[in-house]
Amino acid sequence: MAELKGFFLPRSPEGKASIVPEPPWHYSGDVLTIEYRTDPANVAALLPAGVEPAEEDPGAVAIVWADWQSCSDTFEELVDPVRSQYKECFVVVRCRHDGETYSRCVYIWVDKDFALARGWFQGYPKKLGSIWITRPVAVGRAGPRLEAGGVIGATLQANDRRLAEATVALTGPSETAGFVNALPMLHSRWMPAIEKGAADSLSELVTMGSRDVDVGPAYTGTPQLRLFPSPAEELAALEPLEMIAGYWRQVGATFDGGTRLA
Amino acid sequence: MAELKGFFLPRSPEGKASIVPEPPWHYSGDVLTIEYRTDPANVAALLPAGVEPAEEDPGAVAIVWADWQSCSDTFEELVDPVRSQYKECFVVVRCRHDGETYSRCVYIWVDKDFALARGWFQGYPKKLGSIWITRPVAVGRAGPRLEAGGVIGATLQANDRRLAEATVALTGPSETAGFVNALPMLHSRWMPAIEKGAADSLSELVTMGSRDVDVGPAYTGTPQLRLFPSPAEELAALEPLEMIAGYWRQVGATFDGGTRLA
Amino acid sequence: MAELKGFFLPRSPEGKASIVPEPPWHYSGDVLTIEYRTDPANVAALLPAGVEPAEEDPGAVAIVWADWQSCSDTFEELVDPVRSQYKECFVVVRCRHDGETYSRCVYIWVDKDFALARGWFQGYPKKLGSIWITRPVAVGRAGPRLEAGGVIGATLQANDRRLAEATVALTGPSETAGFVNALPMLHSRWMPAIEKGAADSLSELVTMGSRDVDVGPAYTGTPQLRLFPSPAEELAALEPLEMIAGYWRQVGATFDGGTRLA
Amino acid sequence: MAELKGFFLPRSPEGKASIVPEPPWHYSGDVLTIEYRTDPANVAALLPAGVEPAEEDPGAVAIVWADWQSCSDTFEELVDPVRSQYKECFVVVRCRHDGETYSRCVYIWVDKDFALARGWFQGYPKKLGSIWITRPVAVGRAGPRLEAGGVIGATLQANDRRLAEATVALTGPSETAGFVNALPMLHSRWMPAIEKGAADSLSELVTMGSRDVDVGPAYTGTPQLRLFPSPAEELAALEPLEMIAGYWRQVGATFDGGTRLA
């Protein structure tokens, strides 16, 4: 009997039906990052047992909007862009495990199923949402230029409720694009047991990073952020007490697996 | 330190952010089933190691369209129907494991993230799609009546390609609503390892059924089915060689966990 | 040279490409109506020149959610339900013109383009939105029964903002299903001139009704309604000061043209 | 009594509810154009009475995919990008009226309601669809560079059927970006009468162009195009007999009204 093929699910005779092909996965996109401080207790409340807040600036949060094009190593998805383009909005905090400081994604929304599947594999707790990000332009009047005075907006909706809206009013070039989402990721991969009341069938702590990172010039600006409540979300609990900065940058990277820590 | 709460992901301080609340999950909906025979080799090619084709009628396939309303045991989603209604199209075959005959879902598309998450938990290999099913009506002229002569249509699209379209021309009431999707489910729960080339981190064979099943009158009819190719699907390989029958029925049921077999 | 065919647009050699085929259009669906009173000045402010508020109860408003199946006189759309099913949420007030009292739709959102086109033709000022309505069920636990105690919810979103949410807690059967949306419609059909600053190229006052109206049993209940602001809407200005009642009923009808009044 | 405000519909007390604000409308976007020849009879069959085929190359067709950001003269939509970004796919032919040669859009699909409304106002016969276009990238591996060897893909879906898919394999820079969509537009604005069988209530021939056109460097390449049938479309009748070329260019422009010709 032939074996089922396919990286993820469904597995099938030829392996073409899998919701996502096997890594490596390549990404090129525009990334808008807003960093701010919330009450450190709000961050601590989002960390699983065995993971502690970062020692410095433990209330720092990054909320990131990204407009990606991505593909597998066959690159075939690039000419069928319904299978390569997606947008996402995600929230990152820093944390500490076994003596190391990591970035950790605590909430994330995407608008395509292949992106959701990749996230679950990587420990990004993805849900679906509607994500929009102003695009800088080089021609015409319908968009900001990447220079002082340009304003970039971004919004997030899920379950027919707006959850977040933000703007970054650019002030000029930047050496960096933020520090909260800049460390190796520390993620949990969980799958509840099929049997009621039993312990999780999968409960791993993993770390991962990117290779072949290729970034364009970074820009910084003054951020504004509003978070809105929803009965199916806890994003609004991460209330901004102090804004740090906003950043915009083009990012290219390749993901090719991670490491199980526990 | 408080513990993270939430059935699935993301886990959060209050447990409200989880993409799906804990079971039991209640379902009420309209179910259109088309049964047909393909080459038994096509079914066999979809079974994992250790699972054999059914002994009788091993080429039988059911393709099912369902228009569901569903909720958790709080029932709160019912008044926020963006969180309770979804449609799905799925393909079921029968198989044999350890001396028992089961139903097994080999492909499935849904149109909401909470449904996708529940599926992954249960071993339904869900992807996103656009699913439409004609609704029988009791008033007016814009729909079939549940009686001989009524015709019910159904379609499936994913990644901007139509994958399937079907009709069932009702001929009258029915004692049953098909045999292919009528057994306990035998599903695989897979999660690839985060480390490249390593064995799956989760690879379980589970079984599950429903409780409190509450069905309305069943109707049968003459089915037609067309499957279309896509570079990201293998559905069209399950070519119909002989149509068996079509059925329409309202179904209510509760899911409350399953059993790990291996 | 052959003539272009097609009821609306685009017009094409065979007439198949038109966004909507010619009337008659048949409708069958579920209709949830909530009636309330706002400040009569809010209603008056929505009427065009030459149209006055109703003499009795001039602050009465109906907000209606409907889940439709519809088709042309070929009925072919019924088996391709992506082309026949749509949902809508709309707001109706009463008004007076030339000695007659009419219903008038002042705001409306739908989720399909064919429905939007039919609306523009009829003078319904349709925009796109995301509309959800709880479905009463006859089996299972995932939905209300059409009886005292059943609760039906409904929501509206446009441009990624929730605009309205409502519930009706059923109390029992009803003789009627409301009075605000029960009169012949008085609608404006407007098309601005292509030349800047010129008067409208089309500015008609039309009236229309339905034929072959076929209704199921009506139910009434206690309504709740919340309206939310948006920078692209004025719905929230129609603030409820006093709730009247809620109703649910299945409705079938045929539209086959109207009459130009002015 | 105060007057209703708003450029289009709905008209409302403050004019904020209109599906689209008044012109001027500014556009900045990426435009992929594929030009080819079909049987000139296919083009002629799409022209209304009083409009003739172009004298030279009367079978030339342009199919254009565009990924736009757009806004009104307040520019406020730019920071709420769900109201400013949209994609479209449209088909342009050339034609002759009153001694002048024009471009004319015969079919067009967009993915936002504000874009659809603007189109109906301008005589673009817009319907809704799902449109995707590969984005050239400057960082990373997930996209083509704007240079020889880069391949740009584009697809169109409506009513859950793929209607068109195309690629352009870039060969290098270009002086031009095509000739079919390069003339002033000649469009029809039609609104059928509300009264059955009566002549159109609006039937205008209009022309329009853009001002403040601001283009980036153009690139050309080798095109491929496939058109697929649908029961609700006639696009596939515009069968490519000979491919001319493909082009990619960034375009900025402002629309501020047109001229009625008849």
Side-chain angles (χ1 to χ4, degrees):
Chain A
M1 180 179 277
E3 213 157 310
L4 283 176
K5 294 177 189 158
F7 175 69
F8 208 157
L9 60 80
R11 295 193 176 166
S12 58
E14 297 184 42
K16 293 190 323 179
S18 172
I19 191 168
V20 59
E22 64 177 351
W25 302 324
H26 307 292
Y27 301 76
S28 295
D30 296 358
V31 179
L32 179 76
T33 301
I34 292 175
E35 296 193 333
Y36 68 91
R37 293 187 181 92
T38 190
D39 183 332
N42 293 334
V43 173
L46 278 160
L47 302 179
V51 178
E52 270 82 50
E55 291 177 327
E56 291 181 32
D57 214 348
V61 177
I63 182 165
V64 182
W65 275 266
D67 190 352
W68 291 114
Q69 199 161 256
S70 71
C71 62
S72 70
D73 221 35
T74 68
F75 298 93
E76 70 174 70
E77 301 88 350
L78 292 180
V79 291
D80 190 22
V82 66
R83 293 192 285 143
S84 60
Q85 294 179 5
Y86 71 103
K87 290 177 280 186
E88 64 187 3
C89 175
F90 60 102
V91 177
V92 174
V93 300
R94 287 168 311 128
C95 61
R96 203 162 166 77
H97 172 73
D98 208 8
E100 299 289 331
T101 305
Y102 294 92
S103 297
R104 180 177 176 89
C105 175
V106 294
Y107 298 125
I108 179 166
W109 296 262
V110 298
D111 59 9
K112 288 280 174 71
D113 65 352
F114 67 84
L116 190 140
R118 292 196 305 214
W120 288 26
F121 166 73
Q122 295 170 314
Y124 284 91
K126 290 186 178 180
K127 303 199 284 189
L128 292 181
S130 174
I131 295 109
W132 294 92
I133 312 154
T134 308
R135 276 200 299 268
V137 302
V139 298
R141 301 182 65 192
R145 257 59 176 189
L146 284 171
E147 59 190 29
V151 182
I152 297 173
T155 62
L156 169 66
Q157 178 257 102
N159 285 313
D160 281 356
R161 291 167 178 93
R162 182 161 287 199
L163 300 181
E165 59 189 31
T167 54
V168 174
L170 298 180
T171 51
S174 174
E175 292 296 307
T176 72
F179 66 100
V180 179
N181 191 29
L183 303 169
M185 307 305 296
L186 183 77
H187 283 166
S188 297
R189 306 203 315 157
W190 286 307
M191 176 59 75
I194 197 69
E195 271 149 341
K196 211 167 179 187
D200 285 333
S201 294
L202 178 73
S203 178
E204 291 182 355
L205 208 54
V206 300
T207 187
M208 71 198 66
S210 295
R211 64 166 164 81
D212 300 340
V213 175
D214 178 18
V215 298
Y219 301 84
T220 188
T222 307
Q224 290 195 319
L225 175 65
R226 297 176 66 198
L227 304 177
F228 304 100
S230 161
E233 306 292 351
E234 295 174 50
L235 174 62
L238 284 170
E239 193 188 359
L241 298 182
E242 180 191 7
M243 300 310 291
I244 300 173
Y247 305 95
W248 188 96
R249 190 169 63 171
Q250 292 192 318
V251 176
T254 293
F255 170 86
D256 200 15
T259 303
R260 182 175 171 186
L261 298 179
Chain B
M1 180 179 279
E3 212 157 313
L4 282 176
K5 295 177 188 161
F7 175 68
F8 208 157
L9 59 79
R11 294 191 177 166
S12 58
E14 297 184 43
K16 292 191 324 179
S18 173
I19 191 169
V20 58
E22 65 178 351
W25 302 325
H26 307 292
Y27 300 77
S28 296
D30 295 358
V31 180
L32 179 76
T33 301
I34 292 176
E35 297 193 334
Y36 68 92
R37 292 186 182 94
T38 190
D39 183 331
N42 294 332
V43 173
L46 278 160
L47 303 179
V51 177
E52 272 83 51
E55 292 177 326
E56 291 182 29
D57 214 347
V61 177
I63 183 165
V64 182
W65 276 266
D67 190 353
W68 291 115
Q69 199 161 253
S70 71
C71 62
S72 71
D73 222 35
T74 67
F75 298 94
E76 70 174 67
E77 301 89 350
L78 292 181
V79 291
D80 189 22
V82 67
R83 293 192 286 143
S84 59
Q85 294 179 8
Y86 71 103
K87 290 177 281 188
E88 64 187 2
C89 176
F90 60 102
V91 177
V92 175
V93 300
R94 288 167 312 128
C95 61
R96 203 161 165 78
H97 173 72
D98 208 8
E100 300 289 329
T101 305
Y102 293 92
S103 298
R104 180 175 176 91
C105 175
V106 293
Y107 298 125
I108 178 165
W109 297 262
V110 298
D111 60 9
K112 288 278 174 72
D113 65 352
F114 67 84
L116 190 140
R118 293 195 305 213
W120 288 26
F121 166 73
Q122 296 171 314
Y124 283 91
K126 290 186 179 180
K127 303 198 284 190
L128 291 182
S130 173
I131 295 111
W132 295 91
I133 313 154
T134 309
R135 276 199 300 267
V137 303
V139 297
R141 300 183 65 193
R145 258 57 177 191
L146 285 171
E147 59 191 28
V151 182
I152 297 172
T155 63
L156 169 66
Q157 179 256 101
N159 285 313
D160 281 356
R161 291 168 178 92
R162 182 161 287 200
L163 300 181
E165 59 189 31
T167 54
V168 173
L170 298 180
T171 51
S174 173
E175 292 295 307
T176 72
F179 67 99
V180 178
N181 191 29
L183 303 169
M185 308 304 295
L186 183 78
H187 283 166
S188 296
R189 306 203 315 157
W190 285 307
M191 176 60 77
I194 197 68
E195 271 147 344
K196 210 165 179 190
D200 287 331
S201 294
L202 178 72
S203 178
E204 292 182 355
L205 207 55
V206 301
T207 188
M208 71 199 65
S210 295
R211 64 166 164 82
D212 300 339
V213 175
D214 177 17
V215 297
Y219 300 84
T220 188
T222 307
Q224 290 195 320
L225 175 65
R226 296 176 68 198
L227 305 177
F228 305 99
S230 162
E233 307 290 350
E234 295 174 49
L235 174 62
L238 284 169
E239 193 189 359
L241 298 182
E242 180 191 7
M243 301 309 292
I244 300 174
Y247 304 96
W248 188 95
R249 190 168 66 172
Q250 292 192 317
V251 174
T254 292
F255 170 86
D256 200 14
T259 303
R260 182 176 171 186
L261 298 178
Chain C
M1 181 179 278
E3 213 157 312
L4 283 176
K5 294 178 189 159
F7 174 69
F8 209 157
L9 60 81
R11 293 191 179 168
S12 58
E14 297 184 42
K16 292 190 326 177
S18 172
I19 191 168
V20 59
E22 65 177 351
W25 302 324
H26 307 293
Y27 299 78
S28 296
D30 296 358
V31 180
L32 179 76
T33 301
I34 291 176
E35 297 193 335
Y36 68 92
R37 292 187 181 92
T38 190
D39 183 332
N42 293 333
V43 173
L46 278 160
L47 303 179
V51 178
E52 272 81 51
E55 292 177 325
E56 292 182 30
D57 213 347
V61 177
I63 183 165
V64 182
W65 276 265
D67 190 353
W68 292 113
Q69 199 161 255
S70 71
C71 61
S72 71
D73 222 36
T74 67
F75 298 94
E76 71 174 69
E77 301 89 349
L78 292 180
V79 292
D80 190 22
V82 68
R83 293 192 286 145
S84 58
Q85 295 179 7
Y86 71 104
K87 290 177 280 187
E88 65 187 3
C89 176
F90 59 103
V91 177
V92 175
V93 300
R94 287 168 313 129
C95 60
R96 204 162 165 78
H97 172 72
D98 207 9
E100 299 290 328
T101 305
Y102 294 93
S103 298
R104 180 176 176 89
C105 176
V106 293
Y107 297 124
I108 178 166
W109 297 262
V110 298
D111 59 9
K112 288 279 173 73
D113 65 353
F114 67 84
L116 189 139
R118 293 196 305 215
W120 288 25
F121 166 74
Q122 296 171 314
Y124 283 92
K126 290 185 177 179
K127 303 198 284 189
L128 291 182
S130 173
I131 295 111
W132 294 93
I133 313 154
T134 308
R135 277 200 300 269
V137 302
V139 297
R141 300 183 65 194
R145 257 59 176 188
L146 285 171
E147 59 189 28
V151 182
I152 297 172
T155 63
L156 169 66
Q157 178 257 103
N159 285 315
D160 282 356
R161 292 168 177 91
R162 182 161 286 200
L163 300 182
E165 58 188 32
T167 54
V168 174
L170 298 179
T171 52
S174 173
E175 292 296 308
T176 72
F179 66 100
V180 179
N181 190 30
L183 303 169
M185 308 305 296
L186 183 78
H187 283 166
S188 297
R189 305 203 316 156
W190 285 306
M191 177 61 75
I194 197 69
E195 270 148 344
K196 209 165 180 192
D200 286 332
S201 294
L202 178 73
S203 178
E204 293 182 354
L205 207 55
V206 301
T207 187
M208 71 199 66
S210 295
R211 65 166 164 81
D212 300 341
V213 175
D214 178 18
V215 297
Y219 300 85
T220 188
T222 306
Q224 291 196 319
L225 175 66
R226 297 177 67 198
L227 304 177
F228 305 99
S230 162
E233 307 291 350
E234 296 173 50
L235 173 62
L238 284 170
E239 192 188 359
L241 298 182
E242 179 192 6
M243 301 310 292
I244 300 174
Y247 304 96
W248 188 95
R249 189 168 67 169
Q250 292 191 318
V251 175
T254 292
F255 169 87
D256 200 15
T259 304
R260 182 175 170 187
L261 298 178
Chain D
M1 180 179 277
E3 212 157 312
L4 283 176
K5 295 177 188 159
F7 175 69
F8 208 157
L9 59 81
R11 294 192 176 166
S12 58
E14 297 183 43
K16 294 190 324 178
S18 172
I19 191 168
V20 58
E22 65 177 351
W25 303 324
H26 307 292
Y27 299 77
S28 296
D30 295 359
V31 179
L32 179 76
T33 301
I34 292 176
E35 297 193 333
Y36 68 91
R37 294 188 181 94
T38 190
D39 184 332
N42 293 332
V43 172
L46 277 160
L47 302 179
V51 178
E52 272 81 52
E55 293 177 326
E56 291 181 31
D57 214 348
V61 177
I63 182 165
V64 182
W65 276 264
D67 189 352
W68 292 114
Q69 198 160 256
S70 71
C71 61
S72 70
D73 221 36
T74 67
F75 299 92
E76 71 174 68
E77 301 89 349
L78 292 180
V79 291
D80 190 22
V82 68
R83 293 193 286 143
S84 60
Q85 295 180 6
Y86 72 103
K87 289 176 283 188
E88 65 187 1
C89 176
F90 60 104
V91 177
V92 175
V93 299
R94 287 167 313 128
C95 60
R96 202 161 166 78
H97 173 74
D98 209 7
E100 299 290 330
T101 305
Y102 294 93
S103 297
R104 180 176 175 91
C105 176
V106 292
Y107 298 124
I108 178 165
W109 296 262
V110 299
D111 60 8
K112 288 279 173 72
D113 65 352
F114 67 84
L116 190 138
R118 293 195 304 214
W120 288 26
F121 165 73
Q122 296 171 314
Y124 283 91
K126 290 186 178 179
K127 304 198 284 189
L128 292 182
S130 174
I131 295 110
W132 294 92
I133 313 154
T134 307
R135 276 199 299 268
V137 303
V139 298
R141 300 183 65 193
R145 257 60 176 186
L146 284 171
E147 59 189 28
V151 183
I152 298 172
T155 62
L156 168 66
Q157 179 258 102
N159 285 314
D160 281 356
R161 291 167 178 92
R162 181 161 287 200
L163 301 181
E165 60 189 31
T167 54
V168 174
L170 298 180
T171 51
S174 175
E175 292 296 306
T176 72
F179 67 100
V180 179
N181 190 30
L183 303 168
M185 308 305 297
L186 182 78
H187 282 166
S188 297
R189 307 203 314 157
W190 285 307
M191 178 60 77
I194 197 68
E195 270 148 343
K196 210 167 180 189
D200 286 333
S201 294
L202 178 72
S203 178
E204 293 182 355
L205 207 55
V206 301
T207 187
M208 71 198 65
S210 295
R211 65 165 163 82
D212 300 339
V213 175
D214 178 18
V215 298
Y219 301 84
T220 189
T222 307
Q224 290 195 318
L225 174 66
R226 298 176 67 198
L227 304 176
F228 305 100
S230 161
E233 307 290 350
E234 295 174 48
L235 174 62
L238 284 171
E239 195 188 357
L241 298 182
E242 180 191 6
M243 300 310 291
I244 300 174
Y247 304 96
W248 188 97
R249 191 169 63 172
Q250 291 192 319
V251 176
T254 292
F255 170 87
D256 200 16
T259 303
R260 181 175 170 187
L261 298 178

